[in-house]
Every structure is written in structure tokens, then in C-alpha cells.
Amino acid sequence: MLVTGIEILEKAHKEGYAVGAFNTSNLEITQAIVEAAEETKSPVIIQVSEGGLKYAGIETISAIVRTMAEKVSVPIALHLDHGTDFNTVMKCLRNGWTSVMMDASKLPLEENIKVTKTVVQIAHGMGVSVEAEIGKIGGTEDNITVDEREAAMTDPQEALKFAKETGVDYLAIAIGTAHGPYKGEPKLDFDRLKKIKEMLNIPLVLHGASGVPEEAIKKAVSLGINKINIDTDIRQAFARRLRDLLEKDSEVYDPRKILGPCRDAMKEVIKQKMILFGAAGKA
């Protein structure tokens, strides 16, 4: 069943667990996410980046997710990940998204507040919840690149001002994670996370969580992270299974026999994340 993001995350916020937000851009990834959620009885957020929208088509990916959501018992939200373009956010609102992220984090604080507040007013009027970001999360994701030197941790006082003035439903904060594969082990600022959670008392989002050690994830959840974004881990699972399959059988040519096993490999990774985040059995 398709629900808003805040319906899923408010429960996670109150009960102290996190919900996985998994990126998709095609049929097989979406199947893997939905099947994993149903098998673990987990609420789930299926999200699409601006690059994913360009690849799959906004109407197509909306139809895929919405059709699958109607056939399962677990709550599913369809979320726009890193919506940097206002017009793209509006297109998602018109095409059935139940959650959107307006990412104006590269702008000065006051401009970020102004843009986000406008999106919140429009989206809330349509019954859709909104994520935003304050601070800069390092790494690269689609058309977003933040140099390590530029990456800045979220300031708790700025986060409080931002949340109050925009009315945003959940907030992505920068505490030391990065998009894409890590070169070393990320060091998360748990004290900063704890302070922000206590001050804002809303669902908080951790981007760039692929590759973060399990113990660090568990601690982040215990301190108030309620939405955890996973993309790279899924892509890597797909690529590993694909290489292995083609190396073992050079004669295989049926896409179903190639993509099916890759889908199953992604599903197993997603199920493990759902269990790790504490979402399993919470649907």
C-alpha cells in the first residue's frame, strides 16, 4: 500500500528504529525492494534520484512502483531523492510521489529556507511529505558533487532554525557520511547527531550509508536516525552477481536468466539492511 513518507517515519521516530530508503531506476531493483519488504514485513521507502528519473522516465517508474505497492501488505512511500530542481519536484508531485526531497543545501541558509518552505507549502497542500538537507554530504551522486574539503557538518542551531521556519517533515543532516564507495572507514559525529535530535525532535535522515560499519549504523539509529539511504550497496550486489553469472556461463543470453539472479542478489542485501535498521516486523 502506498502511503506518505511521514506516515512511515513518524512511527519510526516514536519507536526508535530506521526505515531503509532504497534507490531504484528499473523494474528489477523495484521488485527486489518490494519483495524484501514483504518478506521481512518492513515498511520501506522506494526512492528515485533525478538521474534515475531521466533513465527510467518519470511516468514509467511511478507506474511500476504504484502498481507493485497495491499488491503488497507493507506500507511503501515513493520518494524523490535529492531533488535539486524545483520543476522536477513539481513533476513528481503531479505524478504520484508521496514524498519529495528539496535539496537546496548548496545555497546559503536563508535561500535554502526560502526554497524549501515554498516546496513544503505546495507539497503539504497535496498531502505529500517533504525532506530537505542542511549541511553538505560528501561524495558524488548523479549530478551532485561535494568535495571533501567543502563537505561541512550540520550546525545544530542552523538545523533548528531551518526546521522551524520551513516546517519540513524530516531532515537530512551531515555527520560524516558520503555518497558513493568509501576510501576508508567513515567517522560519524555521534555527539552532533544526538544534539540535533534532542533539539529538533523530528525524523532525521542519514545519506551515504552504504559501506558504513554495522555498529556505526546501529548507534546512529539509537541516537535518532529514522531514514537511511542505500544505493551503492545495491548496485554493487547487482554487479557482483552479474560478473559471476556471465563468467560461469558465457552462453546465457535470456535477460530473465541474467537479471533474475541479479535481482535476487539485490533482494538479499536489502533484507539484511532492513533487519539491521530495526524495521523488520514493523509493517
Side-chain angles (χ1 to χ4, degrees):
M1 50 185 173
L2 202 64
V3 301
T4 64
I6 194 60
E7 287 180 66
I8 289 175
L9 294 179
E10 187 63 31
K11 184 173 184 287
H13 168 62
K14 290 178 179 177
E15 297 183 15
Y17 61 90
V19 176
F22 303 96
N23 284 68
T24 189
S25 56
N26 68 11
L27 173 65
E28 285 76 19
I29 302 173
T30 309
Q31 287 175 325
I33 298 168
V34 173
E35 288 176 14
E38 185 77 338
E39 289 176 18
T40 60
K41 298 304 176 187
S42 301
V44 69
I45 296 170
I46 300 176
Q47 58 186 27
V48 190
S49 66
E50 289 180 333
L53 292 177
K54 291 177 183 176
Y55 177 83
I58 191 166
E59 296 88 356
T60 302
I61 202 70
S62 174
I64 289 173
V65 174
R66 294 177 70 84
T67 300
M68 289 188 188
E70 291 173 1
K71 299 180 182 299
V72 294
S73 60
V74 297
I76 295 174
L78 174 56
H79 178 71
L80 171 64
D81 186 30
H82 285 292
T84 59
D85 177 66
F86 181 83
N87 290 329
T88 299
V89 175
M90 294 301 107
K91 287 179 182 177
C92 286
L93 291 176
R94 290 195 295 268
N95 280 276
W97 262 248
T98 60
S99 176
V100 293
M101 178 184 186
M102 182 67 239
D103 182 3
S105 60
K106 283 196 169 185
L107 298 176
L109 179 61
E110 293 301 331
E111 290 183 45
N112 189 356
I113 289 173
K114 183 179 178 180
V115 173
T116 303
K117 185 176 181 179
T118 299
V119 170
V120 168
Q121 290 172 339
I122 296 169
H124 282 184
M126 300 174 70
V128 175
S129 44
V130 180
E131 175 183 341
E133 182 176 315
I134 184 167
K136 297 187 178 78
I137 296 162
T140 300
E141 180 167 326
D142 289 332
N143 61 326
I144 305 161
T145 301
V146 181
D147 189 271
E148 288 179 357
R149 293 185 299 275
E150 186 189 357
M153 299 283 193
T154 301
D155 178 87
Q157 290 296 337
E158 288 188 352
L160 181 61
K161 172 182 171 69
F162 185 90
K164 283 184 174 180
E165 295 189 18
T166 62
V168 71
D169 296 292
Y170 24 100
L171 186 64
I173 58 173
I175 58 169
T177 56
H179 295 122
Y182 286 99
K183 297 175 183 176
E185 184 176 312
K187 304 296 183 184
L188 307 191
D189 189 338
F190 294 114
D191 290 339
R192 185 180 301 270
L193 165 58
K194 185 173 184 290
K195 187 173 184 179
I196 293 171
K197 185 69 172 188
E198 289 172 351
M199 292 172 66
L200 274 62
N201 193 32
I202 64 172
L204 297 180
V205 183
L206 187 67
H207 284 237
S210 290
V212 176
E214 288 191 3
E215 289 308 311
I217 290 290
K218 290 178 181 177
K219 187 168 183 178
V221 173
S222 74
L223 293 173
I225 289 295
N226 304 115
K227 174 178 179 279
I228 301 180
N229 289 16
I230 298 292
D231 188 5
T232 301
D233 280 342
I234 301 173
R235 297 182 186 191
Q236 290 176 333
F238 175 92
R240 282 194 302 270
R241 186 68 184 94
L242 178 62
R243 291 190 185 99
D244 180 64
L245 191 149
L246 294 179
E247 284 175 4
K248 290 181 177 177
D249 186 356
S250 61
E251 301 298 319
V252 65
Y253 62 88
D254 187 338
R256 295 167 296 182
K257 293 182 178 180
I258 298 171
L259 295 176
C262 293
R263 177 192 60 209
D264 294 341
M266 291 187 287
K267 181 172 73 172
E268 288 308 308
V269 169
I270 295 165
K271 287 171 67 174
Q272 291 169 16
K273 296 295 183 184
M274 290 171 168
I275 294 168
L276 173 64
F277 300 162
K282 300 294 187 179

